[in-house]
């Protein structure tokens, strides 16, 4: 696998993990999770 | 997870499905899985990977993520939010904005109905392939791998010479279609309460199956070469219009917005429920699934190219061609467990498709009709299931693929983009988007600013019109779509006819009195 492909894999995996982590960290701030 | 046997075990107590009470999700988790299940569909597997490969690999992913943030998530927030605010499906939500706009909610209902009519047929084909996989009916080895097109067009479709040459009915496909509509009816007739619980399974199972396919793909020879075609970035592509067209179109088509259903799904939320964060989770989960599916697809394509001694671009494909011709070729060439991998792949397609199908049928069609006319949910569900099955029968004839292609182009491309753009224009310019924004912010975990108003007013409609004109009108107005001819009409005429009929029905329904409305 070429370096560019590896970098894209790592960066986008981090974006998705980070993005979903951000959402779940904020979940329940206003209402309860199980509404 | 709720055990499956408990999901349908609805007690005799008075539940929330009484005529006068709105359906409700059993929990936020159930809503999220239902929303993610509706967004994640066949396109995540058969469209996204090819779009990435064809438009600069990693560079496409950048444009695609920008599209998610400026187009997809704001649009999703609007649809969820209007549904939640007015506690109605798409037509009721637009009637809430102004009685004269109700038609704009009915037009995407037409879109949803026609999409689910043919989408269920595609799921039926996937089921036929899953069953055929156990005996590897299309064969193994290089000769079989080179003739999977014959199996699809001949054995499965028995394709005729053109759209007016209907030939006969493909009874096996029709039988599968009937079975799928029975399954859909069973999932839908109790409403959102059951749909949300079933969706947990229909989302998690294909994720697990995709992981299995991914691991199998990565362990095959040639996989890394395939992944280079999928991911290696060509940054210069970002300076072309094609990549932005591809990225915005992928986002528009992947999130299941513009098909009426997301309004209804939002309307099943309690008024105090979060919308903004749920929309973000749905969007990120959808794109993450596409990203993952790309690895499973391109590692397998890399293997196929390697085993046939050709280059990856020679085997790269998308849509029906990828699912029903190229992938079976790769399965034919696998060194072991061909039938098992084949069954896993087509069951993945089945599960990816089924939750999008019940989203389209229930959120897109049944909920708006029940909002308008009242009545028992099971009766509407039975009625829509029967009509959906009958409408789908045309796609089970030997000319089915031609009609599927035209209807898909009319509603899934033009219908979705046009109604989506017009919806944003009405909310942005003929209403006050800040009313909706304030409503969303009052109950949401994550607040959105005035920038959101401008995304709805300008960015989303401009992006959708750009896709519609650049990828549609510029070709379909001067040329007959795909060269089809149906009597005096060419393929493009059929597209405008389908859209026009939907528009007329939408205005007619607007003129009908809504249940409970004063005369």
């Amino acid at each position: 696998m070429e370096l560019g492909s590896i970098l894209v894999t790592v960066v986008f995996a981090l974006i998705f993990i980070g993005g979903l982590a951000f959402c779940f960290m904020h979940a329940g701030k206003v209402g309860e999770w199980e509404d | 997870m709720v055990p499956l046997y408990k999901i349908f075990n609805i007690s005799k107590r008075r539940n929330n499905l009484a005529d006068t009470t709105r359906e409700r999700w059993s929990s936020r988790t159930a809503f999220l899985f239902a929303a993610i299940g509706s967004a994640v569909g066949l396109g995540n597997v058969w469209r996204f990977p090819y779009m990435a490969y064809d438009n600069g690999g990693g560079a496409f992913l950048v444009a695609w993520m920008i599209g998610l943030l400026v187009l997809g998530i704001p649009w999703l927030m609007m649809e969820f939010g209007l549904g939640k605010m007015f506690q109605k499906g798409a037509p009721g939500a637009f009637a809430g904005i102004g009685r004269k706009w109700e038609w704009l909610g009915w037009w995407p209902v037409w879109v949803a109905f026609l999409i689910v009519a043919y989408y269920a047929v595609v799921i039926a084909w996937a089921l036929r392939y899953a069953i055929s996989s156990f005996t590897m009916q299309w064969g193994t080895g290089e000769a079989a791998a080179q003739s999977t097109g014959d199996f699809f067009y001949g054995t499965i479709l028995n394709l005729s010479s053109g759209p007016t040459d209907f030939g006969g009915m493909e009874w096996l496909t029709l039988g599968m279609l009937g079975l799928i509509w029975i399954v859909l009816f069973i999932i839908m007739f109790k409403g959102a309460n059951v749909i949300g619980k079933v969706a947990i399974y229909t989302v998690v199972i294909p994720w697990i199956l995709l992981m299995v396919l991914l691991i199998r793909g990565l362990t095959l020879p040639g996989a890394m070469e395939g992944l280079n075609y999928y991911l290696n970035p060509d940054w210069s592509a970002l300076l072309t219009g094609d990549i932005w067209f591809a990225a915005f179109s992928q986002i528009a088509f992947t999130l299941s917005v513009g098909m009426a259903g997301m309004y209804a799904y939002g309307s099943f939320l309690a008024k105090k429920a979060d919308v903004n964060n749920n929309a973000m989770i749905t969007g990120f989960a959808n794109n993450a699934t596409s990203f993952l599916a790309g690895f499973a697809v391109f590692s397998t394509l890399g293997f196929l190219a390697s085993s046939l001694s050709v280059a990856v671009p020679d085997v790269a494909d998308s849509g029906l061609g990828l699912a029903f011709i190229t992938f079976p070729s790769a399965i034919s060439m696998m060194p072991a467990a061909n039938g098992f991998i084949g069954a896993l792949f087509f069951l993945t397609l089945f599960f990816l498709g089924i939750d999008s199908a019940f989203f389209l049928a229930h959120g897109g069609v049944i909920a708006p009709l029940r909002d308008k006319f009242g009545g028992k949910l099971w009766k509407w569900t039975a009625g829509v299931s029967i009509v959906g099955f009958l409408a789908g029968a045309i796609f089970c004839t030997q000319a089915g693929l031609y009609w599927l292609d035209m209807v898909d182009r009319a509603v899934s491309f033009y219908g979705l983009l046009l109604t989506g753009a017009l919806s944003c224009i009405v909310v942005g310019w003929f209403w006050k988007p800040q009313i909706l924004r304030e409503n969303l912010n009052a109950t949401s975990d994550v607040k959105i600013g005035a920038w959101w108003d401008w995304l709805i007013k300008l960015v989303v409609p401009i992006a959708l019109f750009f896709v519609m004109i650049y990828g549609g009108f510029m070709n379909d107005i001067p040329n007959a779509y795909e060269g089809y001819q149906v009597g005096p009409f060419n393929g493009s005429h059929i597209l405008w006819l389908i859209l026009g009929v939907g528009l007329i029905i939408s205005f007619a329904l607007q003129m009908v009195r809504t249940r409970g409305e004063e005369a």
Side-chain angles (χ1 to χ4, degrees), chain B residues 116-156:
Chain B
V116 74
Y118 71 75
Y119 206 78
V121 177
V122 176
I123 302 171
W125 293 338
L127 258 190
R128 283 192 64 181
Y129 266 89
I131 294 165
S132 300
S133 296
F134 288 109
T135 54
M136 283 302 293
Q137 200 183 339
W138 63 87
T140 54
E142 191 166 339
Q146 306 267 17
S147 59
T148 48
D150 298 337
F151 181 76
F152 179 54
Y153 294 118
T155 308
I156 298 291

Side-chain angles (χ1 to χ4, degrees), chain B residues 271-291:
Chain B
K271 282 205 163 188
K272 63 173 185 176
D274 170 279
V275 165
N276 298 345
N277 202 7
N278 285 339
M280 288 166 60
I281 293 171
T282 305
F284 274 105
N286 173 74
N287 277 26
T289 307
S290 294
F291 184 58

Side-chain angles (χ1 to χ4, degrees), chain A residues 2-18:
Chain A
E2 291 175 22
L3 182 63
S5 304
I6 295 169
L7 286 175
V8 167
T9 304
V10 172
V11 168
F12 278 89
L14 289 174
I15 287 173
F16 287 121
I17 292 167

Side-chain angles (χ1 to χ4, degrees), chain B residues 276-348:
Chain B
N276 298 345
N277 202 7
N278 285 339
M280 288 166 60
I281 293 171
T282 305
F284 274 105
N286 173 74
N287 277 26
T289 307
S290 294
F291 184 58
L292 190 72
F295 285 86
V297 168
F298 267 86
S299 58
T300 309
L301 290 181
F303 158 72
L304 178 62
S306 156
S307 58
L308 294 176
S309 303
V310 297
V312 172
D314 292 334
V315 294
D317 203 353
S318 66
L320 295 172
L322 174 75
F324 297 122
I325 297 172
T326 310
F327 231 89
S329 293
I331 292 164
S332 293
M333 296 299 289
M334 284 186 183
N338 316 58
F340 177 67
I341 297 295
L344 283 192
F345 175 72
F346 291 108
L347 283 176
T348 305

Side-chain angles (χ1 to χ4, degrees), chain A residues 1-6 8-10 12-13 15-16 18-20 22-35, chain B residues 27-29 32 58 61-62 64-65 224 228 231-233 273 277 280-281 284-285 287-288 291 295 442-447:
Chain A
M1 207 167 163
E2 291 175 22
L3 182 63
S5 304
I6 295 169
V8 167
T9 304
V10 172
F12 278 89
I15 287 173
F16 287 121
L20 286 167
F22 171 86
C23 294
F24 282 107
M25 276 164 54
H26 284 78
K29 272 196 168 180
V30 172
E32 290 176 9
W33 173 256
E34 300 292 333
D35 42 30
Chain B
S27 67
R28 183 170 178 179
T29 306
L32 268 174
L61 300 189
V62 172
W64 170 69
M65 285 306 288
M224 295 304 142
N228 284 332
L231 294 167
N232 212 15
N277 202 7
M280 288 166 60
I281 293 171
F284 274 105
N287 277 26
F291 184 58
F295 285 86
T443 59
S444 289
D445 299 324
V446 180
K447 312 297 178 200

Side-chain angles (χ1 to χ4, degrees), chain B residues 19-171:
Chain B
D19 280 355
T20 53
T21 311
R22 191 143 200 87
E23 299 167 48
R24 292 281 173 227
W25 301 109
S26 58
S27 67
R28 183 170 178 179
T29 306
F31 165 71
L32 268 174
F33 272 97
I36 292 168
S38 61
V40 174
L42 301 173
N44 296 62
V45 171
W46 76 22
R47 191 172 191 275
F48 165 78
Y50 184 85
M51 297 300 272
Y53 146 77
D54 201 33
N55 290 281
F60 172 83
L61 300 189
V62 172
W64 170 69
M65 285 306 288
I66 291 172
L68 177 70
L69 296 175
V70 304
L71 169 71
I73 290 176
W75 188 5
L76 200 51
M77 286 175 180
M78 186 190 87
E79 295 204 353
F80 281 156
L82 283 173
K84 192 203 77 159
M85 185 173 170
F86 291 104
Q87 294 286 294
K88 297 281 184 203
F94 277 96
I97 288 174
R99 188 69 173 80
K100 64 184 173 186
W101 298 117
E102 186 182 328
W103 63 273
L104 193 48
W106 285 112
W107 212 6
V109 170
W110 174 248
V111 168
F113 172 71
L114 290 180
I115 292 178
V116 74
Y118 71 75
Y119 206 78
V121 177
V122 176
I123 302 171
W125 293 338
L127 258 190
R128 283 192 64 181
Y129 266 89
I131 294 165
S132 300
S133 296
F134 288 109
T135 54
M136 283 302 293
Q137 200 183 339
W138 63 87
T140 54
E142 191 166 339
Q146 306 267 17
S147 59
T148 48
D150 298 337
F151 181 76
F152 179 54
Y153 294 118
T155 308
I156 298 291
L157 301 183
N158 206 1
L159 190 65
S160 68
S161 60
T164 52
D165 178 13
F166 286 98
M169 183 66 74
E170 285 304 303
W171 295 106

